[in-house]
Amino acid sequence: MLVVMQQGATDLQIQAVIDRMIEMGFDVHRSTGVIHTVLGGVGGKDEFDLGILEVMEGVKEAHRIVSPYKLASRSFRPQGTVIAVGEVQIGGPEVVVMAGPCSVESREQIERSAEVAARGGARILRGGAFKPRSSPYSFQGMGEDGLRLLRDAASRHGLKVVSEVMDSSQIPLLMEYADILQVGARNMQNFNLLRDLGRQRKPVLLKRGISATIEELLLSAEYILSGGNYEVILCERGIRTFETYTRNTMDISAIPIVKKLSHLPMVADPSHGTGRRDKVAPMARAAVAAGADGLIVEVHPDPDHALSDGAQSLFPEQFEDMMAQLRMIASAVGRTI
Amino acid sequence: MLVVMQQGATDLQIQAVIDRMIEMGFDVHRSTGVIHTVLGGVGGKDEFDLGILEVMEGVKEAHRIVSPYKLASRSFRPQGTVIAVGEVQIGGPEVVVMAGPCSVESREQIERSAEVAARGGARILRGGAFKPRSSPYSFQGMGEDGLRLLRDAASRHGLKVVSEVMDSSQIPLLMEYADILQVGARNMQNFNLLRDLGRQRKPVLLKRGISATIEELLLSAEYILSGGNYEVILCERGIRTFETYTRNTMDISAIPIVKKLSHLPMVADPSHGTGRRDKVAPMARAAVAAGADGLIVEVHPDPDHALSDGAQSLFPEQFEDMMAQLRMIASAVGRTI
Amino acid sequence: MLVVMQQGATDLQIQAVIDRMIEMGFDVHRSTGVIHTVLGGVGGKDEFDLGILEVMEGVKEAHRIVSPYKLASRSFRPQGTVIAVGEVQIGGPEVVVMAGPCSVESREQIERSAEVAARGGARILRGGAFKPRSSPYSFQGMGEDGLRLLRDAASRHGLKVVSEVMDSSQIPLLMEYADILQVGARNMQNFNLLRDLGRQRKPVLLKRGISATIEELLLSAEYILSGGNYEVILCERGIRTFETYTRNTMDISAIPIVKKLSHLPMVADPSHGTGRRDKVAPMARAAVAAGADGLIVEVHPDPDHALSDGAQSLFPEQFEDMMAQLRMIASAVGRTI
Amino acid sequence: MLVVMQQGATDLQIQAVIDRMIEMGFDVHRSTGVIHTVLGGVGGKDEFDLGILEVMEGVKEAHRIVSPYKLASRSFRPQGTVIAVGEVQIGGPEVVVMAGPCSVESREQIERSAEVAARGGARILRGGAFKPRSSPYSFQGMGEDGLRLLRDAASRHGLKVVSEVMDSSQIPLLMEYADILQVGARNMQNFNLLRDLGRQRKPVLLKRGISATIEELLLSAEYILSGGNYEVILCERGIRTFETYTRNTMDISAIPIVKKLSHLPMVADPSHGTGRRDKVAPMARAAVAAGADGLIVEVHPDPDHALSDGAQSLFPEQFEDMMAQLRMIASAVGRTI
């Protein structure tokens, strides 16, 4: 830890900070400059409250040096993590596409979705059974019936299954039907859920919250990893900014940044990232061009009558066209789809 | 609902939109202008996906006319809601102060906190027993033991109790020990939790998420209200912006805005709103000056050794000074503390 | 214009709004719904202050229907605009790359930059002569000497020249040396400058301000277009968000959005968009994959000793590698470099 | 300067950073920890590009220690600056109110505005003669005629004058008619203008840009101060966030923060800060409660027919009511109006 004292900080103030640092378990090195005194803290616990020092009299600023996350950092596993879901490998040379409707709505709808997904080249079928909706008056999902239909449709078409878990009580159910358990953006800091997901052994797809920094995303991954589950897939799906033309602003630069900071695979969700069907294909191309390990995309046999997220769901033909474009982009960056 | 067609939209496009609107249950009125055709939709369900229309060919923009929240809106109860917690009334002429530590840490710590809070003029004791922490390596709270200590300390000093509930499974426990159940900013859109809180009958303090719009805050309140629990207290506690000097940017203007849009009481949390002890008093004064119905503030007998949020916790003397200032501000806006 | 009245708005309030709309020059159509009354305004001036109506008693919301920009909108020229700078065409099938240092620093530096740019396949040489720096103590540019060196170096390598104009007094100088006049992000709403640029006849490269919405960018373009200069190239270069890992957050989705809303060419600046050399190539690839008509990129013969923006300037070898990748991405989206 | 190396940085990487720091003019102290090596740089120029180090191989992060602004910092003049405009003192015990219309529109309008301002207790009359408007089709101001009318009206009512200067060419004109020269939010980083304002000797009111950090605001003030003009008044007027209910989000916390970081007076503009007349009074109260040295507020004899900013202009009666409230708030924080 480093603490920079203000210009003109008194000896008393400096001593008080040193005392506090020692009390926190640090060895303290004092370096007196012409303008500023700098205090370096070595040793100490990994976890401490930097703010305590920041608000002390005479302190200009304080910096944590050691990253608050460890298991999620690239240095923990420099070669990168490849997550195997059966024969599908996420984080390897293949750009893995997960596709399907926002929600499972009926046997026929999910069957047709699976067919479209498989034909287009997706490897994993997505579909929600429990829907967190911002209005209490909206469709809330089919529950276990939906999961069963999802699993059946996926199996018929040789696809794996990813589906969202909304709270810890749903984990056993999801374990039964899904291959990957998805944590939605609103739950990215639901730490109880993250801890419980760290204790089971299926891969977790962790979506970035709309106001989460990249560091916070990695800290949330750390919660899962620290429970012993090392199979975490990160996902960029748009952050909230002042621009309102799109529902969110997709932070494409998060893809190469996360790939550098962490060993975990990073995928992108251009459907939620834009909220508009006509922007999904360009942003999917951009994500793959920027180095994404995969995509999760909404496609629906009849988007205009979807019970949720219809506006951002692709028509089957659009999905096929997009997949053709993505194959070319993937090959331009040395990967396959 | 109103749909504005693009300049040059074809008859075919216009007819397709009309058909879709009718299918959604609306009566449609078409108004053909020199530049734009506007389609007005009347009747129909309250809940529908505007996006479906927005992405149709030829559509320029679509507007929902009817607010997505009803029970939370001022027109539902124009005179405003006053919530009684025993003899304490929130939303009435008194500016109600809730104070206490971030977390309950020990019997002595909460006892001394309660003493400071009561002596300064607070009416409600705050203190967390379950702490959602962004790092898995941080202090996670004392659980039920903490709740018991909190309740005891409050009772000894004639205070009511507010404490955070992190998920539905904790509701029964909180019901036993707390007078007001707090929903933290990260849970503002945990809709399962909100629904369950709507089914019980204690007041809920609902904090605004750091990236939540005012409309989303009111929609989350609607979840609770729609379950039959009308006792919801809203709370501004800072939003995430590009400015990093403070941990969050406290949106003081949300106070008069919510008071106009909704009948629910609105309080402010200057501790989380700023993250820095030295900015708590000015922002508390600003909140009361802007019309807040109350404050929730962190105070700790020994902030430098607090197990959480020490940097934003007031020293006992600072709390007393602040309360003296607040009394004058309250009186300047025709209220009491 | 559409004005939606609040539930329960009185006849008096409605009449006051109607009167004001008529006074503003609109014909008013009143539509009385079960819950809300909606007032449609037809005719009237293009420019009016919507806010005046929004704050009237009983008004819920007001919407402008006609876009505030006209000449910049796609409907003004549906086939799109191609801007010819000599034989270089911006907005056509070629993805045009502009490259060079942030600032012209010396004859040798700009000569070597031009050589690198030309060899890599750039068509236009960039370089600043007047530097707007956030600190008064930083290098402020070489002025006219720099422009002369820039022009000479470009000519020797068959390149065109783009350079920034900081205020109207510099226009004549820039007209003499540059082929494209660049407006920096901080000047995007310097309306005097925009108006003056509308009166001359060289192409303008208009950068999006870091807090400008897409609509504001198009309105600023409108200022130039309305002066009779139709040669405006728009540029995404990052917006300010809460994420601080990158200097700005590059809004890749703005590329397909602007291409749909407007007929003007849209390029991207991944150097300012990220502020970090190691993120320039992935974001350049993403921009081209998303449909950008060109790129403006910083490259420097010796970035570590650049007088400005060294951290985001590519090394010559990095530039060459990036160009090779971009050629493949361009071909994947049916374009050339 | 402090550079923290990544875990596992090689000796070669560390040496390369040390060499670069020495080349930049720093003496380097190396401190080797168990996990991270930290390099401290002492001496060196005040101005350098931190980014150059941040993107070097093996570097985790780099921190500037010395503030990039000096003359604007509180330590330069710990007792604070009081700016005298005739007998009006800004930064002293009085909360100074500046009031008037957005634009000067006519002799009668500004005369009536001055009368309202003076009667309510304002000390300074505001009014724009050159209007930067986001649409080229809007009213652009009366120019010098407007300034003359403004000055006359102010004089008749014993008021001082503040008016906006849009570019350097207007400085002589403003010097003739105004007592305080205002720099609008869009010009906060128009460094040519700032430099020129540093060379003249009238006070400058510098508004914070809508996406400017507090540090950037102080750096812009530094530009003026470094020219020898020490009379700079800072102004908070709202920042751009994701919340769209208000035009901007007024950052009230910036008031106490700037008062701590800088010796310059800090005022607030609740009219632009909210964009809505009905929110002006609460936010004005909040600003004074938080410690603002003054306010700049829009008031108009007939806001509904104002040529600009009518929606945020107070009616004369509203202004009077607000001033009465403000007097009580000011007295609660130990000041006068």
Side-chain angles (χ1 to χ4, degrees):
Chain A
M1 181 190 23
L2 292 167
V3 178
V4 182
M5 302 300 297
Q6 287 168 5
Q7 188 172 3
T10 65
D11 274 343
L12 225 65
Q13 291 171 339
I14 294 170
Q15 195 53 51
V17 175
I18 292 174
D19 292 349
R20 177 63 32 78
M21 289 170 74
I22 289 171
E23 196 180 2
M24 288 163 91
F26 291 94
D27 290 336
V28 181
H29 298 271
R30 173 174 177 166
S31 148
T32 308
V34 180
I35 301 179
H36 294 285
T37 291
V38 176
L39 305 172
V42 178
K45 283 178 303 176
D46 289 340
E47 252 311 293
F48 54 87
D49 185 353
L50 205 63
I52 288 278
L53 298 168
E54 283 174 329
V55 297
M56 288 184 76
E57 291 296 311
V59 170
K60 183 169 178 291
E61 60 201 44
H63 301 285
R64 184 186 301 276
I65 289 177
V66 180
S67 286
Y69 53 88
K70 282 162 223 327
L71 304 175
S73 87
R74 169 66 67 170
S75 59
F76 180 71
R77 201 184 265 178
Q79 74 283 16
T81 285
V82 177
I83 295 174
V85 185
E87 72 287 2
V88 180
Q89 299 212 318
I90 302 173
E94 183 183 347
V95 176
V96 176
V97 176
M98 318 182 196
C102 174
S103 312
V104 182
E105 300 168 8
S106 70
R107 176 180 299 274
E108 197 205 336
Q109 174 248 19
I110 192 64
E111 167 61 27
R112 288 179 56 200
S113 300
E115 187 191 323
V116 168
R119 195 174 54 222
R123 306 295 301 267
I124 298 171
L125 183 65
R126 63 151 291 154
F130 304 97
K131 298 311 300 174
R133 305 299 296 279
S134 49
S135 164
Y137 309 119
S138 298
F139 172 64
Q140 311 272 334
M142 287 183 74
E144 183 168 4
D145 289 347
L147 287 173
R148 197 173 301 117
L149 295 175
L150 179 67
R151 180 84 257 175
D152 288 352
S155 299
R156 267 192 299 279
H157 294 277
L159 300 169
K160 303 294 170 193
V161 164
V162 58
S163 194
E164 182 168 350
V165 53
M166 279 180 67
D167 70 43
S168 294
S169 67
Q170 298 170 349
I171 293 181
L173 202 58
L174 268 293
M175 291 290 286
E176 191 175 338
Y177 293 103
D179 300 299
I180 303 175
L181 278 58
Q182 175 181 324
V183 176
R186 290 192 187 105
N187 268 328
M188 193 201 85
Q189 295 195 314
N190 181 338
F191 300 119
N192 286 355
L193 175 59
L194 299 180
R195 190 173 305 108
D196 291 340
L197 286 170
R199 295 192 185 119
Q200 55 82 45
R201 289 296 172 268
K202 287 213 174 177
V204 174
L205 175 71
L206 178 64
K207 290 194 162 185
R208 180 183 185 183
I210 61 168
S211 63
T213 62
I214 289 168
E215 182 171 295
E216 288 168 339
L217 173 63
L218 294 177
L219 264 173
S220 286
E222 187 85 1
Y223 256 94
I224 302 171
L225 298 169
S226 69
N229 181 356
Y230 291 100
E231 311 226 300
V232 176
I233 303 156
L234 304 171
C235 180
E236 163 65 30
R237 48 83 83 211
I239 57 174
R240 184 160 274 184
T241 70
F242 62 81
E243 177 62 65
T244 57
Y245 187 89
T246 41
R247 199 162 66 176
N248 297 296
T249 298
M250 201 167 164
D251 180 6
I252 294 285
S253 70
I255 298 167
I257 293 169
V258 165
K259 294 295 293 176
K260 189 172 177 192
L261 296 180
S262 176
H263 57 88
L264 297 170
M266 177 77 170
V267 305
D269 175 349
S271 305
H272 288 87
T274 63
R276 294 180 63 100
R277 185 185 302 149
D278 58 339
K279 299 298 174 273
V280 170
M283 297 310 281
R285 295 195 308 259
V288 174
D293 292 311
L295 294 171
I296 179 163
V297 179
E298 292 187 354
V299 59
H300 192 286
D302 182 10
D304 288 339
H305 297 90
L307 295 182
S308 57
D309 279 0
Q312 71 193 34
S313 297
L314 296 176
F315 284 92
E317 320 79 72
Q318 289 180 311
F319 179 69
E320 281 196 51
D321 291 350
M322 183 189 77
M323 291 299 285
Q325 296 172 337
L326 291 180
R327 264 181 217 104
M328 297 178 68
I329 300 278
S331 129
V333 292
R335 303 185 78 161
T336 59
I337 289 197
Chain B
M1 183 189 23
L2 291 167
V3 179
V4 181
M5 301 301 295
Q6 288 169 3
Q7 186 172 4
T10 64
D11 273 345
L12 222 65
Q13 291 171 337
I14 295 171
Q15 194 55 48
V17 175
I18 293 175
D19 290 349
R20 175 63 33 77
M21 291 171 72
I22 288 173
E23 196 179 3
M24 289 163 91
F26 291 94
D27 291 335
V28 181
H29 297 271
R30 174 176 178 165
S31 146
T32 308
V34 179
I35 301 180
H36 294 285
T37 292
V38 175
L39 305 172
V42 179
K45 284 178 302 177
D46 287 342
E47 252 311 293
F48 55 87
D49 185 353
L50 205 61
I52 288 279
L53 298 168
E54 282 174 329
V55 296
M56 289 185 75
E57 291 295 312
V59 170
K60 182 169 179 291
E61 59 201 46
H63 301 284
R64 185 184 301 276
I65 288 177
V66 179
S67 284
Y69 53 87
K70 283 164 221 326
L71 305 175
S73 87
R74 171 64 68 172
S75 57
F76 179 73
R77 202 184 264 178
Q79 76 282 18
T81 285
V82 177
I83 295 174
V85 185
E87 72 285 4
V88 181
Q89 300 212 316
I90 302 172
E94 183 183 348
V95 176
V96 176
V97 177
M98 319 181 196
C102 173
S103 311
V104 181
E105 301 168 9
S106 71
R107 175 180 300 275
E108 199 206 332
Q109 173 247 21
I110 192 65
E111 168 60 27
R112 288 179 56 201
S113 299
E115 188 193 322
V116 169
R119 193 174 56 223
R123 308 294 301 267
I124 297 171
L125 183 64
R126 62 150 292 153
F130 305 97
K131 298 309 301 174
R133 306 298 296 279
S134 49
S135 164
Y137 310 118
S138 298
F139 173 65
Q140 310 273 335
M142 287 183 74
E144 182 166 5
D145 287 348
L147 287 174
R148 197 173 300 116
L149 296 175
L150 179 69
R151 179 84 258 174
D152 288 353
S155 299
R156 268 193 298 279
H157 294 277
L159 300 169
K160 303 296 171 191
V161 164
V162 59
S163 194
E164 182 169 348
V165 54
M166 277 181 66
D167 68 44
S168 295
S169 66
Q170 299 171 347
I171 293 179
L173 202 59
L174 267 295
M175 290 290 287
E176 192 174 336
Y177 293 103
D179 301 300
I180 303 175
L181 277 57
Q182 176 182 324
V183 177
R186 291 194 187 103
N187 269 327
M188 193 201 87
Q189 296 195 315
N190 181 337
F191 300 119
N192 285 355
L193 175 60
L194 299 180
R195 189 173 306 108
D196 290 340
L197 287 169
R199 294 193 184 119
Q200 54 82 47
R201 288 296 172 270
K202 289 214 171 176
V204 174
L205 176 70
L206 178 65
K207 289 194 163 186
R208 181 183 184 184
I210 61 169
S211 62
T213 62
I214 290 169
E215 181 171 296
E216 288 168 338
L217 173 62
L218 294 176
L219 263 173
S220 286
E222 186 86 1
Y223 255 93
I224 303 171
L225 299 168
S226 68
N229 182 354
Y230 291 100
E231 311 226 300
V232 177
I233 303 155
L234 303 171
C235 180
E236 164 65 29
R237 49 84 80 208
I239 57 174
R240 183 159 272 183
T241 71
F242 62 81
E243 177 61 66
T244 57
Y245 188 88
T246 41
R247 199 163 65 176
N248 297 296
T249 298
M250 203 167 162
D251 180 7
I252 294 285
S253 70
I255 298 167
I257 292 170
V258 165
K259 295 296 292 176
K260 188 172 177 190
L261 296 180
S262 176
H263 57 89
L264 298 169
M266 176 77 170
V267 305
D269 175 348
S271 305
H272 287 88
T274 64
R276 294 180 62 99
R277 185 187 300 149
D278 59 339
K279 300 300 174 270
V280 170
M283 296 310 281
R285 296 195 307 260
V288 174
D293 293 309
L295 294 171
I296 178 162
V297 178
E298 293 188 354
V299 60
H300 192 286
D302 182 9
D304 288 339
H305 297 90
L307 295 183
S308 57
D309 279 0
Q312 71 193 34
S313 296
L314 295 176
F315 285 90
E317 320 78 73
Q318 289 179 312
F319 179 69
E320 281 197 51
D321 291 351
M322 183 189 77
M323 291 298 287
Q325 296 172 339
L326 291 179
R327 262 179 220 104
M328 297 178 67
I329 300 280
S331 129
V333 293
R335 304 184 78 160
T336 60
I337 289 197
Chain C
M1 182 189 23
L2 291 167
V3 179
V4 181
M5 301 300 297
Q6 288 168 4
Q7 185 172 6
T10 64
D11 274 344
L12 224 64
Q13 290 171 339
I14 294 170
Q15 194 54 49
V17 175
I18 292 175
D19 291 349
R20 177 62 34 76
M21 289 170 74
I22 289 172
E23 197 179 3
M24 290 163 90
F26 291 93
D27 291 336
V28 181
H29 299 271
R30 175 176 177 166
S31 148
T32 308
V34 179
I35 302 180
H36 294 286
T37 291
V38 176
L39 304 172
V42 178
K45 283 178 304 175
D46 288 340
E47 252 311 292
F48 55 87
D49 185 352
L50 204 63
I52 288 279
L53 298 168
E54 283 174 329
V55 297
M56 288 184 75
E57 291 295 313
V59 170
K60 181 168 181 289
E61 60 200 45
H63 301 284
R64 185 185 300 279
I65 288 178
V66 180
S67 285
Y69 53 87
K70 283 163 219 329
L71 304 174
S73 86
R74 171 63 69 170
S75 57
F76 179 71
R77 204 184 262 179
Q79 75 283 17
T81 285
V82 177
I83 295 175
V85 184
E87 72 287 3
V88 181
Q89 299 212 318
I90 302 172
E94 185 184 346
V95 176
V96 176
V97 176
M98 319 183 195
C102 173
S103 310
V104 182
E105 300 169 9
S106 71
R107 176 180 300 275
E108 200 206 333
Q109 173 248 17
I110 191 65
E111 168 61 26
R112 287 179 56 200
S113 300
E115 189 192 320
V116 168
R119 195 174 54 223
R123 307 295 302 268
I124 297 172
L125 183 64
R126 62 151 292 152
F130 305 98
K131 298 311 302 173
R133 305 299 295 280
S134 50
S135 163
Y137 310 118
S138 298
F139 172 64
Q140 310 273 332
M142 288 184 74
E144 182 167 5
D145 287 349
L147 287 173
R148 198 174 299 116
L149 296 175
L150 179 67
R151 180 84 257 176
D152 288 353
S155 299
R156 267 193 298 280
H157 294 277
L159 300 169
K160 303 295 170 192
V161 165
V162 59
S163 194
E164 181 169 348
V165 53
M166 279 181 65
D167 70 43
S168 294
S169 67
Q170 298 170 349
I171 293 180
L173 202 59
L174 267 294
M175 292 290 286
E176 193 175 334
Y177 293 103
D179 301 300
I180 303 175
L181 279 58
Q182 176 182 324
V183 177
R186 291 194 187 105
N187 268 327
M188 192 202 86
Q189 294 194 316
N190 181 337
F191 301 119
N192 285 355
L193 175 59
L194 299 181
R195 190 174 302 107
D196 291 340
L197 287 170
R199 294 192 185 120
Q200 55 83 46
R201 288 297 171 267
K202 287 214 173 176
V204 174
L205 177 70
L206 178 65
K207 289 193 165 185
R208 181 182 184 184
I210 60 168
S211 62
T213 62
I214 289 169
E215 181 171 297
E216 288 168 338
L217 173 62
L218 294 177
L219 264 173
S220 286
E222 186 87 1
Y223 255 93
I224 302 172
L225 299 169
S226 69
N229 181 356
Y230 291 99
E231 311 225 301
V232 177
I233 303 155
L234 303 171
C235 181
E236 163 64 29
R237 50 82 81 207
I239 58 174
R240 184 159 274 183
T241 70
F242 62 81
E243 176 60 66
T244 57
Y245 188 90
T246 42
R247 200 162 67 177
N248 297 296
T249 299
M250 202 165 165
D251 180 6
I252 294 285
S253 70
I255 298 168
I257 293 170
V258 165
K259 295 295 292 175
K260 187 172 179 192
L261 296 179
S262 176
H263 57 89
L264 297 170
M266 177 77 169
V267 304
D269 176 348
S271 305
H272 288 88
T274 64
R276 295 181 63 101
R277 186 186 301 149
D278 59 339
K279 300 298 173 272
V280 170
M283 295 310 280
R285 295 194 308 259
V288 174
D293 293 310
L295 294 171
I296 179 162
V297 178
E298 292 187 355
V299 59
H300 192 286
D302 182 10
D304 288 338
H305 298 90
L307 296 182
S308 56
D309 278 0
Q312 70 192 35
S313 296
L314 295 177
F315 285 91
E317 319 78 72
Q318 289 179 311
F319 179 69
E320 280 196 52
D321 290 351
M322 182 188 78
M323 291 299 285
Q325 297 172 337
L326 291 179
R327 264 182 216 103
M328 295 177 68
I329 301 279
S331 129
V333 292
R335 304 184 78 160
T336 60
I337 289 198
Chain D
M1 180 189 24
L2 291 167
V3 179
V4 181
M5 302 301 296
Q6 289 168 3
Q7 186 172 4
T10 65
D11 274 345
L12 224 67
Q13 290 171 339
I14 295 170
Q15 194 54 49
V17 175
I18 292 175
D19 292 349
R20 175 66 30 79
M21 290 170 73
I22 288 172
E23 198 180 2
M24 288 162 92
F26 290 94
D27 291 336
V28 181
H29 299 271
R30 173 175 176 166
S31 150
T32 308
V34 179
I35 301 179
H36 295 285
T37 292
V38 176
L39 305 172
V42 178
K45 286 178 302 175
D46 288 340
E47 251 312 292
F48 55 86
D49 186 352
L50 205 63
I52 288 279
L53 298 167
E54 283 173 330
V55 296
M56 287 184 77
E57 291 295 312
V59 170
K60 182 169 181 288
E61 58 198 47
H63 301 285
R64 186 184 300 277
I65 289 177
V66 180
S67 285
Y69 53 87
K70 284 163 219 329
L71 304 174
S73 86
R74 171 63 69 171
S75 58
F76 181 73
R77 204 183 262 177
Q79 75 283 17
T81 285
V82 176
I83 295 174
V85 185
E87 74 285 4
V88 181
Q89 299 212 319
I90 302 172
E94 183 183 346
V95 176
V96 176
V97 176
M98 320 183 195
C102 172
S103 311
V104 182
E105 300 168 9
S106 71
R107 175 179 300 275
E108 200 206 334
Q109 174 248 20
I110 192 65
E111 168 61 27
R112 289 178 56 200
S113 299
E115 189 193 321
V116 169
R119 194 175 54 222
R123 308 294 301 267
I124 297 172
L125 183 64
R126 63 151 291 153
F130 305 98
K131 298 310 300 173
R133 305 299 295 280
S134 50
S135 162
Y137 310 118
S138 298
F139 173 65
Q140 310 274 332
M142 286 184 75
E144 184 167 4
D145 287 350
L147 287 173
R148 197 173 300 116
L149 296 175
L150 179 68
R151 180 85 256 175
D152 289 354
S155 299
R156 267 193 300 278
H157 294 278
L159 299 169
K160 304 295 171 192
V161 164
V162 59
S163 194
E164 181 169 349
V165 52
M166 276 181 66
D167 70 44
S168 294
S169 67
Q170 297 170 350
I171 293 180
L173 201 60
L174 267 294
M175 291 291 286
E176 193 174 335
Y177 293 103
D179 301 300
I180 303 175
L181 278 58
Q182 175 182 324
V183 177
R186 289 193 188 105
N187 269 327
M188 192 202 85
Q189 294 195 314
N190 181 337
F191 301 118
N192 285 354
L193 175 59
L194 299 180
R195 190 173 303 108
D196 292 340
L197 287 169
R199 295 194 183 117
Q200 55 83 45
R201 288 297 172 267
K202 289 215 171 173
V204 174
L205 176 71
L206 177 64
K207 291 194 163 185
R208 180 183 186 185
I210 60 167
S211 63
T213 61
I214 289 168
E215 181 171 297
E216 288 169 338
L217 174 62
L218 294 176
L219 263 174
S220 285
E222 186 86 2
Y223 256 93
I224 303 171
L225 299 168
S226 70
N229 182 356
Y230 292 99
E231 313 224 300
V232 177
I233 303 155
L234 303 171
C235 180
E236 164 64 30
R237 47 85 81 208
I239 59 174
R240 183 160 274 183
T241 70
F242 63 80
E243 177 60 67
T244 56
Y245 188 89
T246 42
R247 198 163 65 175
N248 297 295
T249 299
M250 202 165 164
D251 179 8
I252 294 286
S253 71
I255 298 167
I257 292 170
V258 165
K259 295 296 291 175
K260 187 172 180 192
L261 296 180
S262 176
H263 57 89
L264 297 170
M266 178 76 170
V267 305
D269 174 349
S271 305
H272 287 87
T274 63
R276 295 180 63 100
R277 186 186 301 149
D278 58 339
K279 300 299 173 271
V280 170
M283 295 310 281
R285 296 195 307 261
V288 173
D293 293 309
L295 294 171
I296 177 162
V297 178
E298 293 188 354
V299 59
H300 192 287
D302 182 10
D304 288 339
H305 297 91
L307 295 183
S308 56
D309 278 359
Q312 70 192 36
S313 297
L314 296 176
F315 285 91
E317 320 78 72
Q318 289 180 310
F319 179 70
E320 281 197 52
D321 291 351
M322 182 189 77
M323 291 299 285
Q325 297 172 337
L326 291 179
R327 263 181 218 103
M328 298 178 66
I329 300 279
S331 128
V333 292
R335 304 184 77 160
T336 60
I337 290 197

